[in-house]
Amino acid sequence: MYNKITIIVTPRGELILLLIINGIGIIANIILGSFIGVAIFMGIVFLLIGLPEFKKSPKLTKKAKKDIAYIMSTLLTLLIFVVIVSWNIHTSGDLFLEGPLTPQMKLHWGQKVLILGLLEGLWAVITLKWLLPIFFDPLDLSKKQILVLVSGIAFSVVSGIYAMLDAS
């Protein structure tokens, strides 16, 4: 009367699932890192364009110093985010592209990817909710931007957990 569905997952099937999850996370993080890299580049360009304006007077005004401090703080915040994302991409790539991993190696790389995914998520929340609104008005991200941000974090965390579970 009841239909039972049995799913048999072979070790090769688990590997393919891990590769798919990890690959999607890597692609999402590459897109995210590219967007942040472009934002940093634009910030540096606008800083360089604005520097002559700041230097018109022989002594920098208090407003000019404040503006430069805001720009540099924003760029530093984004640079930290790019470092975390690129480290996550590198570690996920090691988990993704390495040959057959021993269970200990898979557990180790899975823990690294999980920790970096959580760190990326934590830094994203801190940056978007507290740090960047200090320098700008609250950021209005589009749904696509939020989707890329959340998917990079989520797929990193899921692939880290899956690799750790697969190791045990």
Side-chain angles (χ1 to χ4, degrees):
M1 185 184 280
Y2 294 102
N3 292 333
K4 290 185 179 180
I5 299 175
T6 306
I7 299 174
I8 300 171
V9 180
T10 63
R12 180 149 175 91
E14 289 178 0
L15 177 66
I16 291 172
L17 184 61
L18 177 62
L19 293 177
I20 291 171
I21 292 170
N22 207 355
I24 293 171
I26 289 171
I27 291 169
N29 279 325
I30 287 172
I31 293 169
L32 180 62
S34 300
F35 284 148
I36 297 170
V38 168
I40 290 173
F41 179 74
M42 287 175 45
I44 291 171
V45 168
F46 286 127
L47 175 66
L48 293 176
I49 290 171
L51 275 180
E53 184 66 33
F54 293 137
K55 290 185 175 182
K56 278 187 178 176
S57 62
K59 188 175 180 184
L60 285 176
T61 63
K62 194 173 191 177
K63 183 182 180 331
K65 289 179 184 177
K66 182 179 175 184
D67 288 344
I68 291 173
Y70 277 177
I71 292 169
M72 297 306 273
S73 299
T74 302
L75 291 176
L76 179 65
T77 302
L78 292 176
L79 184 66
I80 291 170
F81 200 77
V82 163
V83 168
I84 293 170
V85 168
S86 63
W87 195 12
N88 193 350
I89 291 169
H90 178 72
T91 306
S92 295
D94 287 343
L95 179 63
F96 183 69
L97 298 174
E98 286 292 323
L101 296 175
T102 64
Q104 286 180 329
M105 290 173 61
K106 197 178 281 189
L107 179 68
H108 174 72
W109 287 111
Q111 287 173 342
K112 275 184 149 182
V113 171
L114 174 65
I115 289 171
L116 287 170
L118 293 174
L119 182 64
E120 183 181 337
L122 179 66
W123 188 252
V125 169
I126 290 171
T127 300
L128 294 174
K129 292 293 182 187
W130 291 298
L131 294 179
L132 290 181
I134 291 172
F135 311 124
F136 304 111
D137 293 333
L139 298 175
D140 293 328
L141 297 177
S142 70
K143 289 185 180 189
K144 288 181 183 177
Q145 291 168 330
I146 293 172
L147 179 67
V148 169
L149 177 68
V150 170
S151 65
I153 295 165
F155 279 109
S156 293
V157 169
V158 168
S159 67
I161 291 171
Y162 192 78
M164 288 172 27
L165 291 175
D166 194 32
S168 56

Coordinates of all heavy atoms in Angstrom, one line a residue, residues 45-87:
V45 N 39.9 54.8 -6.8 CA 39.9 55.8 -7.8 C 39.2 57.1 -7.4 O 39.7 58.2 -7.6 CB 39.1 55.3 -9.1 CG1 38.8 56.4 -10.1 CG2 39.9 54.2 -9.7
F46 N 38.1 57.0 -6.6 CA 37.4 58.2 -6.1 C 38.3 58.9 -5.1 O 38.2 60.1 -5.0 CB 36.0 57.9 -5.6 CG 35.0 57.6 -6.7 CD1 34.3 56.5 -6.7 CD2 34.8 58.5 -7.7 CE1 33.3 56.2 -7.7 CE2 33.9 58.3 -8.7 CZ 33.2 57.1 -8.7
L47 N 39.0 58.2 -4.3 CA 39.9 58.8 -3.3 C 41.0 59.6 -4.1 O 41.3 60.7 -3.7 CB 40.6 57.7 -2.4 CG 41.6 58.3 -1.5 CD1 41.0 59.2 -0.4 CD2 42.3 57.1 -0.8
L48 N 41.6 59.0 -5.1 CA 42.6 59.7 -5.9 C 42.1 60.9 -6.6 O 42.7 61.9 -6.7 CB 43.3 58.7 -6.8 CG 44.1 57.6 -6.2 CD1 44.6 56.6 -7.3 CD2 45.2 58.2 -5.4
I49 N 40.8 60.8 -7.1 CA 40.2 61.9 -7.8 C 39.9 63.0 -6.8 O 40.1 64.2 -7.0 CB 38.9 61.5 -8.5 CG1 39.2 60.6 -9.7 CG2 38.1 62.7 -8.9 CD1 38.0 60.0 -10.3
G50 N 39.5 62.7 -5.6 CA 39.2 63.7 -4.5 C 40.4 64.2 -3.8 O 40.3 65.3 -3.1
L51 N 41.6 63.6 -3.9 CA 42.7 64.1 -3.1 C 43.1 65.5 -3.5 O 43.4 66.3 -2.6 CB 43.9 63.2 -3.3 CG 43.9 62.0 -2.3 CD1 45.2 61.1 -2.6 CD2 43.9 62.4 -0.9
P52 N 43.1 65.9 -4.8 CA 43.4 67.3 -5.1 C 42.5 68.3 -4.5 O 42.8 69.4 -4.1 CB 43.4 67.4 -6.7 CG 43.6 66.0 -7.1 CD 43.0 65.1 -6.0
E53 N 41.2 67.9 -4.4 CA 40.2 68.8 -3.7 C 40.6 68.9 -2.2 O 40.4 70.0 -1.7 CB 38.8 68.1 -3.9 CG 37.7 69.0 -3.3 CD 37.5 70.2 -4.1 OE1 37.7 70.2 -5.3 OE2 37.1 71.2 -3.5
F54 N 41.0 67.9 -1.6 CA 41.4 68.0 -0.2 C 42.7 68.8 0.0 O 42.9 69.4 1.0 CB 41.7 66.6 0.4 CG 40.5 65.7 0.5 CD1 40.5 64.4 0.1 CD2 39.3 66.2 1.0 CE1 39.4 63.6 0.2 CE2 38.1 65.4 1.1 CZ 38.2 64.1 0.7
K55 N 43.5 68.8 -1.0 CA 44.8 69.5 -0.9 C 44.8 71.0 -1.4 O 45.8 71.6 -1.5 CB 45.9 68.7 -1.7 CG 46.3 67.4 -1.1 CD 47.4 66.8 -1.8 CE 47.9 65.5 -1.1 NZ 49.0 64.9 -1.7
K56 N 43.6 71.5 -1.7 CA 43.5 72.9 -2.2 C 44.0 73.8 -1.2 O 44.7 74.8 -1.5 CB 42.1 73.2 -2.7 CG 41.8 72.7 -4.0 CD 40.4 73.2 -4.5 CE 40.2 72.8 -5.9 NZ 38.9 73.2 -6.4
S57 N 43.6 73.6 0.1 CA 44.1 74.5 1.1 C 45.4 74.0 1.6 O 45.7 72.8 1.6 CB 43.1 74.5 2.3 OG 42.9 73.2 2.8
P58 N 46.3 74.9 2.1 CA 47.6 74.4 2.6 C 47.5 73.4 3.8 O 48.4 72.6 3.9 CB 48.3 75.7 3.0 CG 47.3 76.8 3.0 CD 46.1 76.3 2.3
K59 N 46.5 73.6 4.6 CA 46.3 72.7 5.7 C 45.0 71.9 5.5 O 44.0 72.5 5.2 CB 46.3 73.5 7.0 CG 46.3 72.7 8.2 CD 46.4 73.5 9.5 CE 46.4 72.6 10.7 NZ 46.4 73.4 11.9
L60 N 45.0 70.6 5.8 CA 43.8 69.8 5.6 C 42.8 70.3 6.7 O 43.1 70.4 7.9 CB 44.1 68.4 5.8 CG 44.7 67.7 4.6 CD1 45.0 66.2 5.0 CD2 43.9 67.7 3.4
T61 N 41.6 70.5 6.2 CA 40.5 70.9 7.2 C 40.0 69.6 7.9 O 40.4 68.5 7.6 CB 39.3 71.5 6.4 OG1 38.8 70.5 5.5 CG2 39.7 72.7 5.6
K62 N 39.3 69.9 9.0 CA 38.8 68.9 9.8 C 37.8 68.0 9.0 O 37.8 66.8 9.1 CB 38.1 69.5 11.0 CG 37.8 68.5 12.1 CD 37.2 69.3 13.3 CE 37.2 68.3 14.5 NZ 36.7 69.0 15.7
K63 N 37.0 68.6 8.1 CA 36.1 67.8 7.3 C 36.9 66.9 6.3 O 36.5 65.8 6.1 CB 35.2 68.8 6.5 CG 34.1 68.0 5.7 CD 33.3 69.0 4.9 CE 32.2 68.3 4.1 NZ 32.5 67.1 3.5
A64 N 37.9 67.5 5.7 CA 38.7 66.7 4.8 C 39.4 65.5 5.5 O 39.4 64.4 5.0 CB 39.8 67.5 4.1
K65 N 39.9 65.7 6.7 CA 40.5 64.6 7.5 C 39.4 63.5 7.8 O 39.7 62.3 7.7 CB 41.1 65.1 8.8 CG 42.4 65.9 8.5 CD 42.9 66.4 9.9 CE 44.1 67.3 9.6 NZ 44.6 67.8 10.9
K66 N 38.2 64.0 8.1 CA 37.1 63.1 8.5 C 36.7 62.3 7.2 O 36.6 61.1 7.3 CB 35.9 63.9 9.0 CG 34.8 63.0 9.4 CD 33.6 63.9 9.9 CE 32.4 63.0 10.3 NZ 31.3 63.8 10.7
D67 N 36.7 62.9 6.1 CA 36.3 62.2 4.8 C 37.3 61.2 4.5 O 37.0 60.1 4.1 CB 36.1 63.2 3.7 CG 34.8 64.1 3.8 OD1 34.0 63.7 4.6 OD2 34.7 65.1 3.2
I68 N 38.6 61.6 4.6 CA 39.7 60.6 4.3 C 39.7 59.4 5.2 O 39.8 58.3 4.8 CB 41.1 61.3 4.3 CG1 41.2 62.3 3.1 CG2 42.2 60.3 4.2 CD1 42.4 63.2 3.1
A69 N 39.4 59.7 6.5 CA 39.3 58.6 7.5 C 38.2 57.7 7.1 O 38.3 56.4 7.2 CB 39.2 59.2 8.9
Y70 N 37.0 58.2 6.7 CA 35.9 57.4 6.4 C 36.2 56.6 5.1 O 35.9 55.4 5.1 CB 34.6 58.3 6.1 CG 33.9 58.7 7.3 CD1 32.8 59.5 7.2 CD2 34.2 58.3 8.6 CE1 32.0 59.9 8.3 CE2 33.5 58.7 9.7 CZ 32.4 59.5 9.5 OH 31.7 59.9 10.6
I71 N 36.8 57.2 4.2 CA 37.1 56.4 2.9 C 38.1 55.3 3.2 O 37.9 54.1 2.8 CB 37.7 57.4 1.9 CG1 36.6 58.3 1.4 CG2 38.3 56.6 0.7 CD1 37.1 59.5 0.5
M72 N 39.2 55.6 4.0 CA 40.2 54.6 4.3 C 39.6 53.5 5.2 O 39.9 52.3 5.0 CB 41.4 55.2 5.0 CG 42.1 56.2 4.1 SD 42.6 55.5 2.6 CE 44.1 54.8 3.0
S73 N 38.7 53.8 6.1 CA 38.0 52.8 7.0 C 37.1 51.9 6.1 O 37.1 50.7 6.4 CB 37.2 53.5 8.1 OG 38.0 54.3 8.9
T74 N 36.4 52.5 5.2 CA 35.5 51.7 4.3 C 36.4 50.7 3.5 O 36.1 49.6 3.4 CB 34.7 52.6 3.4 OG1 33.9 53.5 4.2 CG2 33.8 51.8 2.5
L75 N 37.5 51.3 2.9 CA 38.3 50.4 2.1 C 39.0 49.3 2.9 O 39.1 48.2 2.5 CB 39.4 51.3 1.4 CG 38.9 52.2 0.3 CD1 40.0 53.0 -0.2 CD2 38.2 51.4 -0.8
L76 N 39.4 49.6 4.1 CA 39.9 48.6 5.0 C 38.9 47.5 5.4 O 39.2 46.3 5.4 CB 40.5 49.2 6.3 CG 41.1 48.2 7.3 CD1 42.4 47.6 6.7 CD2 41.5 49.0 8.6
T77 N 37.7 47.9 5.6 CA 36.6 47.0 5.9 C 36.4 46.0 4.8 O 36.2 44.8 4.9 CB 35.3 47.8 6.3 OG1 35.5 48.6 7.4 CG2 34.2 46.8 6.6
L78 N 36.3 46.6 3.6 CA 36.1 45.8 2.4 C 37.3 44.9 2.1 O 37.2 43.8 1.6 CB 35.8 46.7 1.2 CG 34.4 47.4 1.2 CD1 34.3 48.4 0.0 CD2 33.3 46.5 1.3
L79 N 38.5 45.4 2.3 CA 39.7 44.6 2.1 C 39.7 43.4 3.0 O 40.1 42.3 2.6 CB 41.0 45.5 2.3 CG 42.3 44.8 2.0 CD1 42.4 44.5 0.5 CD2 43.4 45.7 2.4
I80 N 39.3 43.6 4.3 CA 39.3 42.4 5.2 C 38.3 41.4 4.7 O 38.5 40.2 4.7 CB 38.9 42.9 6.6 CG1 40.0 43.7 7.2 CG2 38.5 41.7 7.5 CD1 39.7 44.4 8.5
F81 N 37.1 41.9 4.1 CA 36.1 41.0 3.6 C 36.7 40.2 2.4 O 36.4 39.0 2.3 CB 34.9 41.8 3.2 CG 33.6 40.9 3.1 CD1 33.0 40.5 4.3 CD2 33.1 40.5 1.9 CE1 31.9 39.7 4.2 CE2 32.0 39.7 1.8 CZ 31.4 39.3 2.9
V82 N 37.4 40.9 1.5 CA 38.0 40.2 0.4 C 39.0 39.2 0.8 O 39.1 38.1 0.2 CB 38.7 41.3 -0.6 CG1 39.6 40.6 -1.6 CG2 37.6 42.0 -1.3
V83 N 39.8 39.5 1.8 CA 40.8 38.5 2.3 C 40.1 37.3 2.8 O 40.5 36.1 2.5 CB 41.7 39.1 3.4 CG1 42.5 38.1 4.2 CG2 42.6 40.2 2.8
I84 N 39.0 37.4 3.6 CA 38.2 36.3 4.1 C 37.6 35.5 3.0 O 37.7 34.3 3.0 CB 37.1 36.8 5.1 CG1 37.8 37.4 6.4 CG2 36.2 35.6 5.5 CD1 36.8 38.0 7.3
V85 N 37.0 36.2 2.0 CA 36.4 35.5 0.9 C 37.5 34.7 0.0 O 37.3 33.6 -0.3 CB 35.6 36.5 0.0 CG1 35.2 35.8 -1.3 CG2 34.4 36.9 0.7
S86 N 38.6 35.4 -0.2 CA 39.6 34.7 -1.0 C 40.2 33.5 -0.3 O 40.5 32.5 -0.9 CB 40.7 35.7 -1.5 OG 41.4 36.2 -0.4
W87 N 40.4 33.6 1.0 CA 40.9 32.5 1.8 C 39.9 31.4 1.8 O 40.3 30.2 1.7 CB 41.1 33.0 3.2 CG 42.0 32.1 4.1 CD1 42.7 31.1 3.7 CD2 42.1 32.3 5.5 NE1 43.4 30.5 4.8 CE2 43.0 31.2 5.9 CE3 41.6 33.1 6.4 CZ2 43.3 31.1 7.3 CZ3 42.0 33.0 7.8 CH2 42.8 32.0 8.2

